Amino acid sequence: MTDEPLILGIETSCDETGVGIVRGHTLLADAVASSVDEHARFGGVVPEVASRAHLEAMVPTIERACATAGITPYDVDAVAVTSGPGLAGALLVGVAAAKALAIGLGKPIYGVNHLAAHVAVDQLEHGALPEPCLAMLVSGGHSSLLRVEDVTTGVAPLGSTIDDAAGEAFDKVARLLGLPFPGGPHIDRAAREGHVTIDFPRGLTSRRDLERHRFDFSFSGLKTAVARWVETQQRDGVVIDVGDVAASFQEAVCDVLVRKAIDAATDQGIEDILIGGGVAANSRLRAMATERAGAQGIRVRVPRPGLCTDNGAMVAALGAELVARGRPPSALDLPADSSQPVTEVVV
């Protein structure tokens, strides 16, 4: 027997219905039902479609996770659920399901922050988080630099995107190049067949920008630069090498992300960088961060790609840490907050 808490986590902030089951820092089940194929024909996530998909997938995904873990819902010590940020309707489905489960089982409920969960999930692979550490979270909706002293009590934001997030830029550039949605994996694969031949701009890296936005990100200008380059080549009748454009764009994104993360870690006197979020699955970002940070004596932790994208395991991991550290649970009337700040780890 073990005294480590057994937690069921539910994630529905976007288009994946995720249910994870964790005991302490041990992952027992990570069941995901994705509606990405339903959104692909629209070139992006449609909130109403995502919400309906969550409704249809919720019970089967919970059942699949429990079967994989070899438990019944009655065995869990608590239920954790993403309460925000995310798509309002999608969050409501997950929060409502978690409330029903908690009430029916007579278990406490923890409404947790999606971004903090992306930090906590690394514990399932690499053990307890260094305290402090610098977290760089990069996804379709977020590009953030965070100082993490204790993932259960508060996370201090150092910088964030002022327009398009990195993942959003990947999706839009992929569409320009005729690649499928979601764009990140397809850009990554195309880039491996190409070369960095185009010097695309690095947003918010000039001396003037660094005075006001030292740790902030901007990828809107980069996306526009790629679009204009492609339009110019097409107008001139030049055949576009998709691999070269993908590699050059990817290099620009990763260069800015890694450069600012190392700068922030150095400024804060932090020796460990944790990278999370869907874009953390990008092979070039992982390699560049490890190489450049290592040269500065900074360690880099990145979960395996399957734990970088949205999943229930990350929610369960944060829930397990909250229970283990004796943090109070949420009230049963907890809301779904689409703009929940990262400083609010638990509702």
Side-chain angles (χ1 to χ4, degrees):
M1 297 295 290
T2 177
D3 293 329
E4 294 182 311
L6 180 65
I7 308 299
L8 184 148
I10 296 175
E11 155 63 23
T12 62
S13 66
C14 193
D15 60 331
E16 273 114 7
T17 307
V19 178
I21 297 173
V22 165
R23 186 183 294 280
H25 291 168
T26 303
L27 177 61
L28 303 181
D30 182 23
V32 177
S34 176
S35 59
V36 66
D37 291 341
E38 298 175 50
H39 303 285
R41 61 195 178 102
F42 300 106
V45 176
V46 181
E48 293 82 0
V49 173
S51 299
R52 182 168 294 277
H54 289 311
L55 282 169
E56 295 173 352
M58 183 59 65
V59 171
T61 308
I62 291 174
E63 291 175 341
R64 181 155 51 97
C66 288
T68 300
I71 67 162
T72 73
Y74 291 98
D75 295 326
V76 304
D77 296 306
V79 176
V81 61
T82 298
S83 53
L87 301 175
L91 289 168
L92 282 168
V93 176
V95 169
K99 287 179 179 178
L101 199 58
I103 292 171
L105 298 175
K107 306 291 185 179
I109 185 172
Y110 290 82
V112 305
N113 189 288
H114 178 81
L115 300 181
H118 269 304
V119 176
V121 73
D122 187 68
Q123 297 184 128
L124 301 181
E125 191 158 10
H126 300 122
L129 293 173
E131 295 179 347
C133 69
L134 181 97
M136 179 171 68
L137 302 184
V138 278
S139 67
H142 306 280
S143 296
S144 306
L145 290 174
L146 313 168
R147 180 184 175 95
V148 182
E149 296 282 352
D150 178 346
V151 73
T152 69
T153 58
V155 177
L158 300 176
S160 62
T161 184
I162 65 172
D163 44 53
D164 289 356
E168 184 180 359
F170 269 94
D171 289 338
K172 291 179 177 178
V173 169
R175 191 184 311 169
L176 281 171
L177 298 177
L179 298 174
F181 174 87
H186 298 286
I187 291 279
D188 196 356
R189 280 193 288 271
R192 294 172 197 167
E193 304 300 320
H195 301 87
V196 180
T197 60
I198 310 159
D199 186 20
F200 286 129
R202 273 64 167 163
L204 297 185
T205 58
S206 70
R207 182 176 299 178
R208 182 177 178 181
D209 287 329
L210 291 175
E211 291 176 358
R212 294 187 303 160
H213 297 288
R214 181 177 177 184
F215 302 137
D216 292 326
F217 300 101
S218 170
F219 296 107
S220 178
L222 170 60
K223 174 202 65 181
T224 302
V226 176
R228 288 178 177 169
W229 190 92
V230 170
E231 290 168 4
T232 299
Q233 301 302 304
Q234 291 174 333
R235 185 186 63 220
D236 295 342
V238 177
V239 177
I240 295 172
D241 188 313
V242 171
D244 286 355
V245 178
S248 300
F249 161 75
Q250 178 176 267
E251 191 74 7
V253 173
C254 295
D255 181 27
V256 172
L257 290 171
V258 172
R259 190 188 308 185
K260 294 205 171 214
I262 293 174
D263 185 26
T266 303
D267 177 75
Q268 296 288 307
I270 293 175
E271 298 179 346
D272 294 272
I273 294 176
L274 166 68
I275 307 176
V279 180
N282 181 273
S283 62
R284 180 57 180 149
L285 177 60
R286 299 164 82 94
M288 184 187 291
T290 301
E291 178 183 351
R292 290 190 185 177
Q296 300 291 324
I298 298 172
R299 295 176 291 270
V300 173
R301 292 168 50 135
V302 193
R304 62 182 180 271
L307 293 179
C308 291
T309 53
D310 293 347
N311 57 79
M314 69 187 205
V315 179
L318 180 52
E321 195 67 20
L322 289 162
V323 173
R325 299 200 183 198
R327 309 304 185 211
S330 304
L332 278 172
D333 62 350
L334 75 135
D337 183 356
S338 61
S339 58
Q340 184 174 336
V342 70
T343 51
E344 191 174 275
V345 174
V346 187
V347 175

